[in-house]
Amino acid sequence: MSQLDLIATVPMGLEAVVAREIRDLGYPDVTVENGRVLFKGDALAICRANLWLRTADRILVKMGQFEAHTFDELFEGTKALDWPDWIPEDAEFPVEGRSHKSQLSSVPACQGIVKKAIVEKMKLRYGTEWFAETGARYVIEVALLNDVATLTLDTTGPSLHKRGYRKLVTEAPLKETMAAAMVLLSRWRADRPLYDPFCGSGTIPIEAAMIGWNIAPGLRRSFPSEAWDTVPPELWEQAREEAYDAVQDDVPLDIVGCDIDGAAIDVALAAAKAAGLSGQLHFRVEPVAKAQPLGDYGCLITNPPYGERLGDQGEAERALRQLGKVTGLLPTWSTFVLSPDRQLEQWMGRRADKKRKLFNGRIECSLAQFLGPLPPRKP
């Protein structure tokens, strides 16, 4: 198959992180836009991107893009695309949609027009008037922005943050993609200690361990495109073999997660076991006031409780003040805190070296970065 136009959808604020991940996979032709990263690759790139991208949401195949001011333009533009090259006669092909700042503002109407146009195109190829839709699933999306329609096929299914290891969740859990992004932005490496004093269900420690051992985050799940004729099974087998060969599970890890809630620690232990990391991570019940991270040149990476998320602003302030005291006793450590609280630096008693705007779900946050010295170079 020739080069495809692919789209990685991205949580706002993480576009540059995803672009770097895609380049590291060997696909340098990358374009960054708000909420998505466009790149070119073959069918194998679909497999690799779904298995390896830690901070993206979905991988889409861009089928076409055109202006659509009227339903006739939407119908004709959709019908002109090569749907039968991708969608077999027995496929299930639902249409999803969204519209923003466009004359065609009725999403259900746009979905119906796109579905009808695809059916008409497929009638020409397959010579039938009716499609049973009992086969593999091909989810189509029509996205209208400023009267431009973009038609895509979703290769991923459930969002990439659903790794498969988290069967239980705590209150207001951090998404796996955001936890991975925090670790990647910290530039933590496996030879440094990592400590999370508000670990909750253990997402940051688990994602850090997967990064430290170079475990592809999608290895434990499946994708609807695994059943597509256009992405043959041997490509998925090749990509999975590459991923298994890349695992470095002989690297020692020094990763600790703590939380004041014993039930949360139980959830974290179960998640670590499901991720194949049982015994490699250390979880314990411990309030932040008693936190004593061990070692030098470590990274403290955390998502502390905050009022907007858990409903208690006083608790959030106390937690950050205690965290500030802990980090003040760690002169060689770097600290990374995701929080929406504008008083974070005041409560922690120090000014951040850098701040980066990120969205935890729909909550606008800052990743405050308090940078310590880098470890000495090893001879």
Side-chain angles (χ1 to χ4, degrees):
M1 181 177 288
S2 60
Q3 291 288 92
L4 304 171
D5 291 316
L6 302 174
I7 301 172
T9 62
V10 184
M12 292 292 289
L14 296 182
E15 293 90 347
V17 180
V18 172
R20 189 171 75 219
E21 286 195 86
I22 292 170
R23 291 190 188 99
D24 288 345
L25 278 179
Y27 303 101
D29 192 355
V30 170
T31 302
V32 176
E33 297 181 357
N34 286 336
R36 61 185 194 170
V37 178
L38 285 62
F39 65 107
K40 291 185 179 294
D42 54 12
L44 182 57
I46 292 174
C47 310
R48 287 173 173 159
N50 276 300
L51 290 174
W52 277 104
L53 293 186
R54 301 181 188 278
T55 56
D57 285 332
R58 283 184 173 82
I59 307 302
L60 312 177
V61 178
K62 182 179 176 182
M63 298 295 295
Q65 189 174 69
F66 50 86
E67 291 190 9
H69 302 272
T70 67
F71 287 128
D72 282 343
E73 290 178 338
L74 180 60
F75 180 90
E76 295 300 334
T78 300
K79 187 179 176 184
L81 301 177
D82 296 324
W83 298 105
D85 288 350
W86 283 85
I87 302 176
E89 184 176 353
D90 67 340
E92 177 188 4
F93 52 105
V95 178
E96 299 178 351
R98 50 194 172 92
S99 178
H100 184 62
K101 294 182 179 179
S102 296
Q103 294 182 51
L104 299 179
S105 58
S106 171
V107 172
C110 291
Q111 290 171 265
I113 291 293
V114 167
K115 180 79 172 187
K116 182 179 179 181
I118 296 172
V119 168
E120 291 301 313
K121 184 62 174 273
M122 292 177 65
K123 283 181 181 179
L124 296 175
R125 172 71 64 86
Y126 297 116
T128 182
E129 292 293 316
W130 183 75
F131 297 95
E133 298 198 41
T134 56
R137 183 175 173 86
Y138 295 73
V139 176
I140 298 154
E141 183 185 70
V142 51
L144 287 145
L145 175 63
N146 296 322
D147 296 315
V148 174
T150 303
L151 280 295
T152 58
L153 282 173
D154 178 7
T155 74
T156 301
S159 173
L160 289 173
H161 82 270
K162 296 186 177 181
R163 318 286 207 219
Y165 63 75
R166 193 161 70 176
K167 308 301 182 185
L168 304 171
V169 295
T170 56
E171 187 176 7
L174 184 70
K175 277 188 177 181
E176 293 87 336
T177 42
M178 181 58 68
M182 293 171 67
V183 176
L184 292 173
L185 288 167
S186 76
R187 303 299 177 99
W188 171 82
R189 295 292 180 267
D191 59 354
R192 302 174 68 180
L194 187 145
Y195 185 88
D196 180 1
F198 303 103
C199 73
S201 55
T203 311
I204 291 175
I206 291 170
E207 290 295 320
M210 293 174 70
I211 291 170
W213 275 7
N214 201 37
I215 298 173
L219 268 179
R220 292 177 175 269
R221 58 165 288 179
S222 60
F223 306 91
S225 49
E226 291 184 63
W228 295 4
D229 295 338
T230 44
V231 190
E234 56 266 26
L235 294 185
W236 283 102
E237 184 178 351
Q238 177 184 340
R240 289 185 183 276
E241 285 182 359
E242 291 173 353
Y244 280 115
D245 290 343
V247 174
Q248 301 172 1
D249 56 4
D250 57 344
V251 175
L253 299 173
D254 182 4
I255 299 175
V256 178
C258 298
D259 202 281
I260 197 171
D261 184 356
I265 294 298
D266 289 340
V267 172
L269 288 167
K273 182 178 181 180
L277 296 164
S278 183
Q280 304 301 322
L281 307 178
H282 304 282
F283 292 105
R284 59 177 180 262
V285 179
E286 181 178 87
V288 64
K290 294 186 177 180
Q292 292 183 321
L294 301 178
D296 295 318
Y297 303 102
C299 288
L300 190 153
I301 307 174
T302 195
N303 175 221
Y306 40 82
E308 192 170 353
R309 187 165 62 112
L310 295 178
D312 188 341
Q313 190 65 28
E315 178 187 347
E317 179 179 348
R318 286 191 297 274
L320 288 173
R321 288 188 182 279
Q322 291 168 345
L323 180 61
K325 292 179 181 178
V326 170
T327 59
L329 301 175
L330 301 170
T332 66
W333 281 57
S334 295
T335 299
F336 302 84
V337 184
L338 182 70
S339 174
D341 288 312
R342 302 194 175 201
Q343 302 100 319
L344 181 143
E345 293 167 283
Q346 175 187 340
W347 292 341
M348 288 190 61
R350 56 189 298 197
R351 186 174 294 277
D353 297 289
K354 293 181 181 180
K355 287 194 288 187
R356 186 185 187 113
K357 187 185 346 182
L358 299 174
F359 285 84
N360 187 9
R362 296 184 178 181
I363 302 175
E364 182 178 328
C365 298
S366 287
L367 179 64
Q369 305 173 48
F370 306 89
L371 304 177
L374 292 174
R377 288 182 179 272
K378 293 183 178 180

